[in-house]
Every structure is written in C-alpha cells, then in structure tokens.
C-alpha cells in the first residue's frame, strides 16, 4: 500500500465521520426545537373554562387565578334580577378549553340602572317614532297623555309628573309618559253655516238704503 492510498483512506474516513457528526447535530437540533416549542406552548395542556355567570367578580377572579387563567372586565350591563357586581357574560364561554394564562373577558352587572339623555323627540317626531327610539334605549312607557294639538304628534314628556326636556339624563328605571296630540280643527271649511242675505249683510255690516215710496192720493 503506497502513501497516496493511505491518505485517501484516512481522508475518506474523516469525511464520513464529519458528515455523520453534522447529521447527528441536525437531528438533535430538530428534537430540541420541537421539545422547546412543546414546553413554550404547553403542548397537550389545556384548561376547561368554568361557568362564571352570576359569580361575584372578585370571587371569579380568584377562581380563575387558581386555574392559571387571567380575567379582564371589558364591559358592564344591568340586570335588576341579578346581584350587583356579578358576572353577566364571559368570553370564552363555559366548558371551552384554553391554554394556561389565557384571558377570560367578562361583562359585570352594574349596581344601578343606566341613564340616558332624552333624544330630540319633543315637538320633533310622531308618537310611533318616539316610542321606537325610547324603548330601544331601554325606557318603559306609560299610557299616553292626550293633549290638544296635531294628531299623534309628541308635544312633551313627563317623568313622575315632571316635564323633562331633550338632553335630560333619565334612569331607565323611570317610566316615561308621552304627551300626544289628539287632533284639533285646523280650518273652518267643515263648519255648516246657515244664513240668509240679511244674515250676510248683518255679518258684513252693510245695510240696504232702499225706501219704498207710496203713491199720493
């Protein structure tokens, strides 16, 4: 065996070893990255979201903390049938499975009913439109109070017998009463007037100056 053949064998073996080592390093890196991602994303680990509806907000926050979840209050509402500061809605919903550290967004019940500004409806719209706008805002309406004016036109709003104006803030716990026109005579065309020429003259203030002249004997 000459020197060239010996060197060739040595270098061939060196290349094979290097290639094998590089391949082993690549395989180890792939395994490490996959294992690291599993740890980072908590692969295979999930938590069932509990039902928080009706639970006090402080108690719900502690319950989620023990499960490894976070809570954020993103809205408030009002339901007089439920206790104040309890949870009305939640996202994600009960039973859904989420990762540890996931945020649960909740809507909390306000301790008092909301108040809204009366829209521009007084002497500006019909009773049907006024009813639609007020009920959509959450107001309750009493039977209308009929007043003189154009039929089905809104002339005012009463709250506990007191007049309110456009822009006044009123709680939705208070019922409102619309003052609605019942219809009035707008002209005299439909009035039947019975008269005569004398009556017309009397109304106009005119008199007939004609005087009968008798023939002398």
């Amino acid at each position: 065996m000459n020197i060239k053949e010996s060197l060739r064998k040595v270098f061939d073996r060196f290349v094979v070893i290097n290639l094998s080592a590089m391949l082993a390093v690549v395989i180890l890196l792939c395994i490490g990255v996959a294992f690291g991602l599993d740890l980072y994303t908590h692969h295979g680990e999930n938590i069932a979201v509990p039902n928080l509806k009706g639970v006090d907000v402080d108690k719900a926050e502690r319950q989620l903390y023990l499960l490894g979840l976070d809570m954020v209050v993103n809205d408030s509402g009002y339901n007089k049938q439920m206790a104040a500061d309890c949870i009305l809605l939640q996202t994600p919903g009960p039973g859904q499975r989420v990762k540890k550290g996931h945020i649960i967004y909740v809507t909390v019940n306000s301790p008092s009913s909301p108040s809204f500004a009366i829209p521009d409806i007084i002497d500006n719209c019909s009773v049907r439109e006024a009813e639609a706008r007020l009920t959509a805002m959450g107001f309750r309406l009493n039977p209308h109070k009929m007043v003189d004016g154009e039929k089905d036109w809104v002339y005012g709003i009463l709250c506990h017998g007191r007049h309110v104006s456009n822009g006044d803030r009123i709680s939705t716990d208070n019922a409102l009463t619309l003052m609605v026109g019942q219809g009035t005579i707008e002209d005299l065309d439909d009035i039947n007037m019975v008269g005569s020429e004398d009556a017309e003259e009397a109304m106009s203030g005119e008199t007939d100056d004609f005087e009968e002249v008798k023939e002398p004997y």
Side-chain angles (χ1 to χ4, degrees):
M1 180 181 297
N2 54 34
I3 298 175
K4 289 183 179 180
E5 291 179 353
S6 300
L7 291 175
R8 184 180 302 170
K9 289 183 179 181
V10 171
F11 282 112
D12 288 345
R13 185 179 302 172
F14 180 76
V15 171
V16 171
I17 293 173
N18 283 340
L19 291 175
S20 301
M22 291 175 62
L23 181 61
V25 169
V26 170
I27 293 173
L28 290 175
L29 283 174
C30 292
I31 295 174
V33 169
F35 184 73
L37 287 175
D38 286 346
L39 290 178
Y40 181 76
T41 59
H42 303 283
H43 181 70
E45 178 184 351
N46 50 59
I47 303 168
V49 178
N51 186 4
L52 303 175
K53 185 176 182 179
V55 180
D56 181 80
V57 63
D58 293 332
K59 182 178 179 181
E61 188 172 17
R62 290 194 298 269
Q63 183 179 352
L64 292 176
Y65 175 79
L66 294 176
L67 293 174
L69 302 175
D70 295 326
M71 187 184 79
V72 172
V73 178
N74 67 335
D75 199 1
S76 63
Y78 179 69
N79 186 339
K80 62 182 179 181
Q81 304 298 331
M82 301 181 68
D85 296 326
C86 73
I87 293 177
L88 299 176
L89 298 171
Q90 66 181 86
T91 304
Q96 295 190 28
R97 307 194 73 85
V98 296
K99 303 292 184 182
K100 185 176 181 180
H102 194 86
I103 297 176
I104 309 300
Y105 296 94
V106 298
T107 299
V108 178
N109 194 29
S110 175
S112 60
S113 61
S115 61
F116 298 101
I118 297 296
D120 186 15
I121 60 178
I122 299 176
D123 202 18
N124 194 40
C125 68
S126 66
V127 62
R128 183 172 298 180
E129 181 183 352
E131 287 176 338
R133 294 178 66 178
L134 292 174
T135 53
M137 296 171 68
F139 287 107
R140 294 179 294 109
L141 300 178
N142 291 324
H144 306 325
K145 180 178 180 180
M146 308 308 294
V147 297
D148 290 336
E150 184 180 344
K151 186 174 178 61
D152 294 335
W153 191 254
V154 176
Y155 287 98
I157 301 176
L158 298 175
C159 180
H160 297 296
R162 181 178 64 88
H163 286 270
V164 296
S165 304
N166 296 331
D168 290 348
R169 297 194 69 87
I170 305 296
S171 171
T172 54
D173 277 344
N174 300 315
L176 303 178
T177 302
L178 297 178
M179 302 174 65
V180 181
Q182 60 187 350
T184 56
I185 299 175
E186 299 178 355
D187 54 58
L188 301 177
D189 291 341
D190 296 332
I191 298 178
N192 294 323
M193 301 184 65
V194 179
S196 61
E197 294 180 357
D198 293 338
E200 291 178 357
E201 290 177 358
M203 291 179 63
S204 63
E206 298 177 356
T207 58
D208 191 353
D209 295 333
F210 176 80
E211 182 179 351
E212 183 182 358
V213 178
K214 296 182 178 180
E215 182 180 354
Y217 296 104

